[in-house]
Amino acid sequence: MLATNKARDALIELERRVRFELDCLGYPARQWTIPHNQEGEPVHDAVIVGGGQSGTSIAFRLLRERVTNVRVLDRNPAGLEGPWLTFARMHTLRTPKTVTGPDLGLPSLSVRAWWEALYGATSWEELNKIPRELWQAYLTWVRNTIGVEVSNGAEVTDIEPLAGGLLAVHARRNGATEKLLARNVVLATGIEGSGRWSVPDVIAKALPRERYAHTAEPIDFAALAGKKVAVIGAGASAFDNAAMALENGAASVHLFARRNKLPTVNPNRWMEFAGFLRHFGDIDDARKWRFMKIIFDMNQPPPQDTFDRCVRHSNFFVQLGYQLERVGFDAGKISLTSPGRTKTFDFLIAGTGFTVDLATRPELARFHDKIARWSDRYQPPAGEEHPQLGAYPYLSPSFQFTEKVAGSAPYLANIFSYTFAAMPSLACSAGISALKFGLDRIATGISRGLFVEDADAHLQSLLDYDEQELDPAALLERETRGNVA
């Protein structure tokens, strides 16, 4: 690792280079959106809900389009936006270190440039994958360098459609309520943006709340030292949390999974090519459905390094093909009963994923029933049914919600869902891999709407335009002198 002062100087020089590159690519530089207000209250061109990697990158992309009247809200404290320092518990990102996205194609803003400025080129060459804590540090650096401001501690509780196509975003911040008026709202709320984290009733109804947690919730792993821990689920997050418990001194960790064997092939790696990530949204619904059914049914295996974190511990046990019949709690112990056997534990971690259910999202509560789902727009042929896919919202090519009934909720065209909800429609999972491709789609959709809505005002601006570029006075003066001669 480079000396502190040298690294600091290198980072300062890199930031200077970023500003230079932005200046070089700044044409056209003119601010063009037309200010709006309602009853004296200013109206934002866009309010972005979520200040993690997606929300920040969308704001940056809009800034590059000279859409600057934007507000970004995040419910978490500064530095804890997104999952990387909260419920993400892997050591490193799952994507290759060469991933791009937040940089918007500027080499000096890339994670490689940032890493080499701090730690040197040799360190980058030797790096396998990016530690998640350093990815968060990189995202914070990007945000500060490009000048995107995030209002932290602001939890959006409601989106209210208003007359004239405007939207009122209601948020709680610092114990007070705040209302922001917006022409567009972007939901950049990650995986849970399409529903809720799911804990089966067989667990939630049987156990005291302090004796179980979902993998997406805060967990005091140090308190699990010397405890017997059960993990339900076999996805990457289930293994991440099992590893955390083991590394914090759990007496034992038993991981239970319904499937008879662990998946070994990761469809997310297959998806990582430009044709699919950029143009999936351009194919017909039938083929979108077939692609997504295969991807969803394949499941995502735990990465090899996560798996190895667990199996290196002799007190880690996996039981596949597990059929959970009953969960009990007696004398301070959790009991899990399967056919012919009962085991007891001190704590349970549910790696049971999430449920797609727009009705559970407070910001969508007013109109969730007006949003078209895939089940409203597409009926798969026999043998291709997939209820989970059918529950996802059916989005426009620019990430907008669409109406279940035409004309019933026109304001949905101004609400963009850059969340895991976009997966079936646009192959965007709100993750890193598709970011560089999704940003163009959503930014174009927002800026298109802003211009088209104000087209008459721009036309009048053209009619009023009288900035002279030519002064013919010199020619007239010369002709006048010539006539005198």
Side-chain angles (χ1 to χ4, degrees):
M1 194 171 291
L2 298 181
T4 301
N5 289 340
K6 187 175 181 182
R8 185 184 301 114
D9 291 344
L11 202 58
I12 291 172
E13 172 57 25
L14 184 62
E15 291 163 359
R16 185 202 64 78
R17 185 71 189 179
V18 169
R19 290 189 289 271
F20 172 75
E21 290 175 359
L22 285 170
D23 285 344
C24 288
L25 301 175
Y27 176 85
R30 190 173 79 196
Q31 166 68 35
W32 60 271
T33 62
I34 296 175
H36 285 237
N37 68 81
Q38 185 180 68
E39 298 178 355
E41 292 292 322
V43 177
H44 296 83
D45 288 332
V47 169
I48 300 173
V49 184
Q53 65 188 18
S54 295
T56 297
S57 298
I58 292 167
F60 182 27
R61 185 66 181 80
L62 290 174
L63 288 175
R64 294 287 302 276
E65 293 294 312
R66 296 302 184 257
V67 178
T68 59
N69 184 17
V70 175
R71 182 84 176 269
V72 184
L73 309 177
D74 195 278
R75 67 184 180 186
N76 294 308
L80 295 180
E81 304 86 358
W84 309 113
L85 300 183
T86 53
F87 64 85
R89 290 165 180 141
M90 63 283 207
H91 283 164
T92 67
L93 302 188
R94 309 199 199 284
T95 46
K97 68 178 182 181
T98 52
V99 71
T100 59
D103 50 85
L104 297 193
L106 272 70
S108 296
L109 204 59
S110 68
V111 68
R112 177 178 178 176
W114 175 83
W115 188 282
E116 291 191 0
L118 288 176
Y119 310 123
T122 300
S123 174
W124 177 261
E125 289 299 319
E126 295 173 347
L127 180 67
N128 179 22
K129 291 181 178 179
I130 301 167
R132 60 179 173 84
E133 296 91 347
L134 290 179
W135 179 255
Q136 176 66 43
Y138 163 69
L139 293 175
T140 300
W141 174 78
V142 168
R143 188 179 71 199
N144 293 337
T145 301
I146 62 180
V148 170
E149 295 185 5
V150 175
S151 298
N152 291 96
E155 183 168 8
V156 172
T157 58
D158 185 19
I159 298 173
E160 177 188 2
L162 302 175
L166 295 182
L167 299 161
V169 179
H170 299 267
R172 284 194 299 263
R173 190 180 187 206
N174 299 325
T177 58
E178 184 176 6
K179 183 176 78 170
L180 303 174
L181 301 180
R183 299 173 68 182
N184 299 280
V185 174
V186 179
L187 302 177
T189 45
I191 293 177
E192 65 179 298
S194 57
R196 58 182 172 81
W197 299 110
S198 176
V199 176
D201 285 345
V202 68
I203 295 171
K205 291 183 177 181
L207 301 181
R209 192 62 186 88
E210 69 274 9
R211 288 303 190 95
Y212 74 91
H214 192 279
T215 53
E217 294 178 324
I219 298 175
D220 184 358
F221 285 99
L224 299 182
K227 306 292 186 181
K228 293 178 63 177
V229 178
V231 178
I232 306 294
S237 293
F239 275 86
D240 286 335
N241 281 262
M244 288 290 289
L246 291 162
E247 292 164 358
N248 279 271
S252 65
V253 174
H254 291 249
L255 186 145
F256 301 97
R258 288 179 299 179
R259 62 190 68 165
N260 292 317
K261 65 177 184 179
L262 293 175
T264 58
V265 176
N266 187 351
N268 290 342
R269 296 289 80 83
W270 176 88
M271 291 167 53
E272 293 174 328
F273 63 98
F276 183 83
L277 294 176
R278 188 178 297 282
H279 299 297
F280 178 83
D282 301 321
I283 63 177
D284 58 273
D285 287 350
R287 283 187 287 183
K288 285 182 182 179
W289 186 273
R290 294 188 191 110
F291 270 113
M292 285 300 146
K293 184 179 186 302
I294 293 171
I295 289 170
F296 277 43
D297 286 346
M298 286 179 71
N299 294 309
Q300 181 180 354
Q304 187 65 51
D305 53 357
T306 295
F307 183 79
D308 292 342
R309 283 177 69 189
C310 293
V311 299
R312 70 167 56 103
H313 295 269
S314 61
N315 55 340
F316 175 66
F317 307 93
V318 175
Q319 185 168 342
L320 301 177
Y322 184 76
Q323 300 300 318
L324 179 62
E325 290 185 336
R326 188 176 65 86
V327 178
F329 186 74
D330 185 55
K333 293 292 184 181
I334 299 168
S335 62
L336 302 184
T337 299
S338 62
R341 190 168 188 182
T342 297
K343 294 183 178 180
T344 61
F345 300 91
D346 300 302
F347 193 79
L348 184 146
I349 299 175
T352 45
F354 69 100
T355 298
V356 177
D357 186 357
L358 301 182
T360 65
R361 301 299 306 172
E363 66 272 20
L364 305 179
R366 287 178 182 265
F367 46 79
H368 71 89
D369 55 335
K370 298 184 183 301
I371 297 172
R373 274 70 165 175
W374 264 83
S375 59
D376 298 315
R377 296 294 181 86
Y378 180 73
Q379 296 302 315
E384 293 187 13
E385 297 88 351
H386 199 293
Q388 182 185 5
L389 270 176
Y392 278 76
Y394 186 95
L395 301 183
S396 80
S398 297
F399 293 89
Q400 295 138 301
F401 287 125
T402 59
E403 298 171 301
K404 183 178 294 187
V405 177
S408 64
Y411 52 82
L412 292 178
N414 296 327
I415 304 177
F416 298 73
S417 182
Y418 198 93
T419 69
F420 197 81
M423 189 66 178
S425 298
L426 296 158
C428 175
S429 64
I432 305 170
S433 300
L435 191 58
K436 65 180 288 185
F437 304 101
L439 293 175
D440 287 343
R441 278 186 178 272
I442 193 168
T444 298
I446 294 170
S447 62
R448 180 195 300 119
L450 292 171
F451 177 79
V452 170
E453 183 180 339
D454 288 341
D456 289 341
H458 288 294
L459 177 60
Q460 186 61 49
S461 173
L462 173 60
L463 292 171
D464 296 339
Y465 186 70
D466 61 358
E467 183 176 326
Q468 283 191 291
E469 194 165 299
L470 172 67
D471 181 4
L475 176 61
L476 292 175
E477 182 181 348
R478 189 186 68 185
E479 290 178 346
T480 300
R481 287 198 307 268
N483 290 337
V484 172

